[in-house]
Amino acid sequence: MQNVLFTNANIIDSRNGTVLAEQQVLVSDGRIAQVSASPIQSEDAQVIDLRGRFLMPGLCDSHVHVTAITPNFALLGTMSPFYVTAKTGPMLESMLMRGFTTVRDAGGADYGLAQAVDEDAMLGPRILYCGKAISQTGGHGDMRSAGQHTFEGCFCCAGLGRVCDGVAEVRRACRDEIRKGATQIKIMASGGVSSPTDRIDSTQFSLEEIDAIVQEATAANIHTMAHAYTARAINRLIPRGVKTIEHGNLMDEESCRLFVEHDAYLTPTLVIYDSLAKEGVEAGLPKAMADKVFDVLEAGGKALEMAQRSGVKMLFGSDLLGQMERHQLNEFNLRADVVPADDLIRAATCNAADAFGYTGDFGEIIEGARADMLVLEHNPLDDIKVLTRPESELSLIMKAGRIYKQTL
């Protein structure tokens, strides 16, 4: 891997929401070795003169399902994992070409897929994975219909989650996912749109089961993410140590207070509801499930406003499934009227690193961080929609020191 020296760069300081003008950045062995306003000496580095273009950290989508080639998870669980992986490849490459150098998978990806990307056997962003999400019987990860009593697939095949009940079973399930290298544990803690037998307003898992799950994640020094829509579900999770709440459309003011008090993060995923409302059935989601999206569609915008007003720290998430994955960057558009550009950039960069326990490892252009960087023609702090036009705005993509796109 060749060392690279960027000169004449306007660096986007993602943490402070400012521009550091006329900087030089040296990349060595996949990491940022030096950042300086003075000339950097390097005899063997490839020099790239950015001529005042904007250098920012690679983006992180904190809620993806990279193996969800269809929104019909019951069907997904019956598919050949080889077929699913083949279809996953182009989705991963598209994410990288949009500027996402890290993604956090919320159910489905495993160590093999993450390793294939790390080795460049597949092109895509670095994958942080939970393996299978943890679900109770009849929960958001149980894709059986009311009349189906046995599982047709197995938990090693493609699919979203694994079903377990009781403290002993959830501990065993968490330990098994941790054994397989999970970088976080995902709890299905309320009802959802894409599951056939639960209600949006249900809470899932007992408090004792939730405690056991969080304890196992904490013991492994990883964090816990939880699918939850309602205030009733959210407000029982945050005080128990859950670090990130996914969706949160039906939260309340008490939820906001708890987020701030416990230093937890919200991952809104507005773009999936917008996409499901427009093309969910066409994309393969059964109509009965697609109709459930209207229970949370409008509430998502109101929850975003409440969270922003209350100072809740947020992450960028899309949660898109199948053909809808192409709308990933539209999440910026859907939040732009409520969330300022600097906060949106933080949500997609350093906030994610902080939430996941990787502060200083990615999400910032600082010495020692992974060399995950983008070169933009214009300043996203002035107009966040710059990030939604990668074909014309994104002239270089670097992940771990390797260049995957360059049109300079």
Side-chain angles (χ1 to χ4, degrees), residues 280-315:
V281 174
E282 175 191 341
L285 188 67
K287 186 177 184 306
M289 296 185 202
D291 289 343
K292 293 165 74 176
V293 76
F294 296 101
D295 294 337
V296 295
L297 178 61
E298 291 185 8
K302 296 176 182 176
L304 182 73
E305 292 175 4
M306 188 189 311
Q308 181 67 21
R309 184 175 65 248
S310 301
V312 174
K313 290 187 287 190
M314 289 186 272
L315 307 178

Side-chain angles (χ1 to χ4, degrees), residues 12-16 32 56-58 349-350 353-354 358-367 369-370 372-373:
I12 302 295
D13 181 342
S14 54
R15 192 166 293 279
N16 296 304
I32 298 172
M56 75 168 289
T349 55
C350 57
D354 293 345
Y358 292 100
T359 300
D361 186 63
F362 70 90
E364 298 178 83
I365 298 180
I366 57 175
E367 293 178 4
R370 286 166 53 93
D372 297 345
M373 294 184 284

Side-chain angles (χ1 to χ4, degrees), residues 112-178:
L113 199 59
Q115 183 177 346
V117 171
D118 287 345
E119 295 175 358
D120 271 345
M122 297 176 73
L123 297 184
R126 171 196 188 197
I127 301 173
L128 304 177
Y129 61 93
C130 68
K132 293 294 196 301
I134 308 301
S135 171
Q136 68 174 43
T137 294
H140 186 49
D142 188 342
M143 297 302 158
R144 294 174 297 174
S145 67
Q148 182 183 348
H149 303 300
T150 59
F151 291 101
E152 292 183 6
C154 63
F155 292 134
C156 62
C157 295
L160 179 69
R162 58 188 297 169
V163 174
C164 49
D165 299 290
V167 170
E169 281 192 23
V170 300
R171 284 194 188 280
R172 185 177 294 110
C174 290
R175 290 172 181 176
D176 192 41
E177 297 303 338
I178 291 166

